[in-house]
Amino acid sequence: MAKAQQPLWLGGAAASMAACFTHPLDRTKYCMQVLSSKQPMLKALQTFAIRDGIRSLWSGLSASILRQTTYSTARFALYDVLARQVQQKTGEKLTSGSTIVCAGIAGGLAGMLGNPTEVVLVRMCADGVKSPSQRYLYSNAVSGLIRIGREEGVGAFTKGLGPNIVRSILMNVSQIAVYTSAKRQLLVNKLMPFSEGVPLHIAASLVAGTVATTVCAPADVLKSRMQSAASAEGKSPGLVKIVRESLRTEGPGFLMKGWTPAWLRLAPNTVLMFLFMEQLQRLVAAKTL
């Protein structure tokens, strides 16, 4: 039986709702990836709050919401469309392989679509740890998009596109495929049986969040550094140069830099996102009955 269609906006709405709660951790993650220091995440959060005020922890929230309304709306909507097409052809539930393929394709396309807003998000979040002369100081996400287009040209929107596409593919596969698989395994687990409901959703999404953080860490670090890098003489440093310089100054461990704040952001974000999504799906289904 084919998978029931859900509204195209549902995934983006759930992700945007989750981002409102986890943005301070998201901002700290980007700052730690851009910086070369090894300051603990909680210490960094405390430093930002004391230095700039509690409200500063939500700076760049407009970019985060704009990103979710483009990137997350696209990745979940595309996955839903692809999954329904596969189910209509096979007449059966999605296999693990089909889920991975559908999630990967949807993630890659969404990564391309959401890259411009990703550039703005990284810059707005990283402003807090840069010297005044290096800050972009975008008043909001839309203003940032306009300024980038005017000052740097549309080519700037492709900064970090390669790593971002790779990260988006890995993120979508590790979140959707792992969450779906974890739910199935937990439902049939005899040692600690689960039933459909909030505890099941929390447990499955925690597994998905942990896997996604680890799998996406290297691409996430490279993407953030490329998108945050300032142009020198009209030319931005390329991926090879950034990798070479980072390896020279920090060693290979830089690829996992900020894993802890990334997990502390992504795990709660994944839990909230899937909880909101499950509840929104239930509300939508109730209205269509």
Side-chain angles (χ1 to χ4, degrees):
M1 186 175 182
K3 182 177 181 288
Q5 183 176 4
Q6 66 182 30
L8 299 181
W9 53 263
L10 194 145
S16 296
M17 293 164 69
C20 292
F21 291 91
T22 61
H23 182 73
L25 295 170
D26 202 14
R27 178 177 182 269
T28 304
K29 180 201 71 170
Y30 284 122
C31 290
M32 289 189 69
Q33 289 176 340
V34 171
L35 287 173
S36 296
S37 68
K38 297 182 179 180
Q39 188 179 30
M41 186 210 67
L42 293 180
K43 180 64 177 178
L45 269 175
Q46 182 184 29
T47 300
F48 296 146
I50 293 175
R51 186 188 68 187
D52 304 320
I54 297 295
R55 290 182 61 184
S56 70
L57 299 178
W58 274 268
S59 63
L61 179 61
S62 65
S64 185
I65 293 176
L66 182 60
R67 174 179 176 267
Q68 298 304 339
T69 56
T70 54
Y71 164 67
S72 286
T73 297
R75 70 186 179 114
F76 285 111
L78 288 170
Y79 170 77
D80 188 58
V81 170
L82 292 172
R84 285 189 294 106
Q85 291 297 319
V86 171
Q87 287 183 305
Q88 286 175 359
K89 289 183 179 181
T90 62
E92 300 175 353
K93 289 185 177 181
L94 286 180
T95 63
S96 297
S98 298
T99 301
I100 291 172
V101 172
C102 291
I105 294 174
L109 293 173
M112 294 176 61
L113 179 64
N115 203 70
T117 56
E118 183 84 14
V119 173
V120 177
L121 173 62
V122 172
R123 290 184 176 186
M124 291 184 72
C125 289
D127 262 3
V129 294
K130 290 186 173 183
S131 62
S133 62
Q134 292 182 316
R135 293 176 184 173
Y136 293 99
L137 300 176
Y138 302 140
S139 58
N140 55 65
V142 175
S143 174
L145 287 172
I146 295 173
R147 278 186 53 189
I148 290 173
R150 287 177 178 174
E151 298 171 7
E152 303 175 52
V154 294
F157 292 130
T158 64
K159 279 189 174 183
L161 180 61
N164 194 34
I165 291 176
V166 173
R167 175 188 176 276
S168 297
I169 292 172
L170 296 174
M171 179 66 73
N172 224 35
V173 170
S174 55
Q175 280 191 328
I176 293 177
V178 173
Y179 178 73
T180 303
S181 178
K183 279 182 65 177
R184 291 174 182 169
Q185 294 300 318
L186 289 170
L187 284 171
V188 300
N189 176 35
K190 295 181 179 180
L191 293 176
M192 190 179 295
F194 280 85
S195 58
E196 183 65 36
V198 172
L200 172 66
H201 302 156
I202 291 175
S205 54
L206 273 175
V207 175
T210 301
V211 173
T213 302
T214 305
V215 170
C216 297
D220 206 15
V221 170
L222 294 174
K223 170 191 67 67
S224 296
R225 295 194 177 191
M226 288 185 70
Q227 292 175 337
S228 180
S231 299
E233 298 179 358
K235 187 177 182 180
S236 300
L239 176 61
V240 175
K241 183 177 180 180
I242 289 176
V243 171
R244 187 189 303 122
E245 185 65 21
S246 298
L247 285 172
R248 184 182 66 81
T249 58
E250 304 171 63
F254 88 93
L255 290 171
M256 287 293 170
K257 194 173 184 65
W259 186 94
T260 300
W263 183 86
L264 288 173
R265 180 209 66 96
L266 189 58
N269 180 271
T270 302
V271 170
L272 289 172
M273 181 181 67
F274 280 117
L275 282 177
F276 286 135
M277 191 174 299
E278 295 277 6
Q279 296 306 310
L280 287 173
Q281 287 175 338
R282 184 172 299 180
L283 288 173
V284 170
K287 285 188 175 182
T288 57
L289 290 178

